[in-house]
Amino acid sequence: MNYFPDEVIEHVFDFVTSHRDRNSISLVCKSWFKIERYSRQNVFIGNCYATSPERLLRRFPCFKSLTLKGKPHFADFNLVPHGWGGFVQPWIEALARSRVGLEELRLKRMVVTDESLELLSRSFVNFKSLVLVSCEGFSTDGLASIAANCRHLQDLDLQENDIDDHRGQWLSCFPETSTTLVTLNFACLEGETNLVALERLVARSPNLRSLKLNRTVPLEALARLMACAPQIVELGVGSYEDEQDSESCLRLQAAIRKCTSLRSLSGFLEAAPHCLSAFQPVCHNLTSLNLSYAAEINGSHLIRLIEHCKKLQRLWILDSIGDKGLEVVASTCKELQELRVFPTDLHGGGNAAVTEDGLVAISAGCPKLHSILYFCQQMTNEALITVAKNCPNFIRFRLCILEPHKPDHVTSQPLDEGFGAIVQACKNLKRLSVSGLLTDQVFLYIGMFATQLEMLSIAFAGDTDKGMLYVLNGCKKMRKLEIRDSPFGDAALLADVNKYETMRSLWMSSCEVTLGGCKRLAQKAPWLNVEIINENDNNRMEEENGYEGRQKVDKLYLYRTVVGTRVDAPPFVWIL
Amino acid sequence: MSDKNKTSDDALNFKATELRLGLPGSESPERVDQRFLTLKNLCPVSGAKRVFSNAINGSNKWVFSPGSTTDVNSGSVPVKDHKPGVSVKEKKSSAAAPASKAQVVGWPPIRSFRKNTMASSQSQKQGGNTNPETEEKAKSGPETCLYVKVSMEGAPYLRKIDLKTYKSYVELSSALEKMFSCFTIGPFGSHRRCGRDGLNESRLTNLLSGSVYVVTYEDKDSDWMLVGDVPWEMFICSCKKLRIMKSS
């Protein structure tokens, strides 16, 4: 069957790095399956409960990098109660017992404990890279173990985690001999760090490319750090609260001018408005700018900076930039690929900072734009139709109108036509979030046109089960569907049970599905875990006479799995 | 803040925040401001500890500070005596638009990390800002969210609540009680407190596991403080975590 020896085939496979492509390769024939599994270096598990550590080790004995995701996406918005699951401990224990030479661990929305981190740090001699995104359950003590025990640590990247900061000396735990750091990101820590230890660490790390500080690192420390690390490529500024012409400020400006490799700026968690001007010398080279936490910097300062950022590819900003500011972005940033505009006013009561005009301006001015997340208070169908015409290249389109059920503010119509235009024009659309007043019609469009759609987020939308059915029937590549506060019920849920085998997961909360419907689904599909999350203790899902089947389920989360019901579910999770 | 301060010195009740010597729980009656008290028809505990209590007649409220529960609405600090709007996850109608935008759980879809970071930088703006314009905006403008963890001694898991959805200790206590009431149902135990109202006492003892709970919080200096000492506004600015502990 094979015309080449295995080693040659394996070498060819080395060039195939995407896990999806490797999954496809492994399906070709038994021989390729075997070669592929022994040579797979990076394993990606999108739902930690879809499989088990044992199965992972059986199939891929030689992997070096593991990516695991735990809680469903809506956990980011507090919809999943604490203690639901996503524990990394069993994984680390199993890997530690085996002979796997783990070098990289990337976790998202998982529960990590200090014990897990300690075990991790002691079990893998060549461990190099730890990336934790939106995780929780650990403290700086766990970080201390990592720092102390991982002799070859290159990346310690903590993104938006909930970490218990003991304000200890974890930074001092990096041994003096440790010189291998490439990435150090502790922006999400709340407490003070040992600045002396930090400076020494940075000074002895010649490979350091990415340094993201937390809010307690003051300006003067930043100046010294940048002077130690002129090779820096990504910088996350902590606090920047000094006087405009203070000595620290001047020293910082001098240091910045030497950082000729700087391409990415972020942080500014506590920032005085004037601080941005210090970074103007590096603007013309910046490809990534994240000012979405800088609440105190107003629109005009932002604009003055962005005017110089002609090479910007990624921009995360607050809506204080305004429509005018977005017009400046549109005329300046011709390389822009990804834009995120976050709200400063979370409840839509204040000034309408950005509107549909800003979105249209961006779509007209930035031909390479393919990903957008846009929070606003109003939208029109006309604007969306224009955006679709200007920008047919969207891969990710997420629009969040802050007020649920809000119609087109000019015509008072639902926004079905606008979103319909988006899905029709953007043939490569993979991710979509809809909002505003929407009827079943928009889902008809989505089912018809969004053929590549993999992830769809629905909130406060639709009229009847038909809406959800259009999506389930039409979107053949759907992987993750998450729905909240929409009137979809059992009929839609049960229409095509086999569909869920092609998807990673389905989330439905505050919809019309009933306990009876969920039970029927669980019966028909034993390869699914159907979880009912019911944290309201007064509302226990008990068998009440005759009403049981019709009891509405508050939160439903179902996912395909090859390992059956999980054993670590808390009491408020009922797995049918 | 300044206007409010002038006319409502009373409301802040500086007397209550005055430092005094004394054993914990042994508050002299006049020290406790009636307006920060809790509920209409309950306070079995006299002059003593802050308790986590439950009443069988359905007005499930529990007490932060002792004293009589006279009309709590007399002060200029409005104390809402109804069910807090926060526990929306319980009975939300999926079809109707939410009654109050601020109350919908998980909306807008912004990560709590981001919400909390924005909230703390904005509350700092409120505190230290001298620009009257921005101060005004900060006061009346964005109602950001402030999620804090709530743990209870002996409970297997923690909860998270958004402090900004409550306006007073009353609402908070009501919500916390609802969240944790399942853990307080236990065997009949001996009680150390003397109830004013014998009827209430027996109801209480039926539901409590025999211990008395106090609510504490971790403030910005990482000290653990007893809830209820400071005015509500001050409390939410400095509270980072809540912990319900057994007092003994």
Side-chain angles (χ1 to χ4, degrees), chain A residues 127 239 320 525 555-556:
Chain A
F127 192 74
S239 158
S320 46
K555 291 173 187 165
L556 163 68

Side-chain angles (χ1 to χ4, degrees), chain A residues 76-78 82 134 160 162 164 188 292-293 343 346-347 375 400 402 484-485 510 512 535-537 554, chain B residues 89-90 92 94 97 104-114 143 147 149 157-160 182 241:
Chain A
D76 280 350
F77 317 129
N78 283 55
H82 190 96
S134 291
E160 297 190 335
D162 190 2
D164 205 357
C188 60
S292 61
Y293 289 103
L346 295 182
H347 300 295
F375 284 86
C400 180
L402 289 167
R484 64 167 290 178
D485 294 274
S510 304
E512 303 283 321
E535 51 181 327
N536 185 354
D537 302 300
D554 192 32
Chain B
K89 41 186 181 277
E90 293 168 22
K92 236 176 341 148
S94 56
V104 179
V105 173
W107 191 263
I110 300 197
R111 281 189 182 165
S112 2
F113 178 83
R114 182 174 289 279
E143 290 163 33
Y147 278 95
K149 286 186 185 170
Y157 50 87
L158 284 69
R159 303 300 300 267
K160 256 196 172 157
C182 56
K241 267 188 203 178

Side-chain angles (χ1 to χ4, degrees), chain A residues 441-460:
Chain A
Q441 184 71 9
V442 71
F443 300 113
L444 174 66
Y445 290 142
I446 292 175
M448 253 197 319
F449 296 114
T451 52
Q452 304 298 312
L453 197 63
E454 296 179 5
M455 183 168 176
L456 177 61
S457 308
I458 301 171
F460 305 102

Side-chain angles (χ1 to χ4, degrees), chain A residues 77 317-320 323 326 339-346 352-356 359 372-379 398-403 433 435, chain B residues 106-111 114-115:
Chain A
F77 317 129
I317 201 110
L318 286 171
D319 63 4
S320 46
D323 283 339
L326 289 177
L339 174 68
R340 294 196 191 188
V341 181
F342 293 97
T344 37
D345 177 2
L346 295 182
V354 297
T355 68
E356 68 272 22
L359 184 61
I372 190 158
L373 169 61
Y374 198 79
F375 284 86
C376 59
Q377 291 168 24
Q378 61 185 50
M379 189 49 57
R398 294 197 277 162
L399 180 67
C400 180
I401 301 166
L402 289 167
E403 188 186 325
S433 299
S435 58
Chain B
W107 191 263
I110 300 197
R111 281 189 182 165
R114 182 174 289 279
K115 271 186 185 160

Side-chain angles (χ1 to χ4, degrees), chain A residues 65 71 128 177 236 269 283 292 295 306 308 384 420 428 448 459 508:
Chain A
S65 162
K71 300 182 207 167
K128 292 194 174 72
T177 47
L269 303 165
C283 279
S292 61
I306 291 176
H308 302 277
L384 285 174
N428 295 322
M448 253 197 319
M508 291 180 77

Side-chain angles (χ1 to χ4, degrees), chain A residues 125-129 149-155 180-181:
Chain A
V125 169
N126 285 324
F127 192 74
K128 292 194 174 72
S129 173
N149 303 330
C150 300
R151 304 270 137 171
H152 303 285
L153 193 68
Q154 290 178 5
D155 305 313
T180 48
L181 266 186

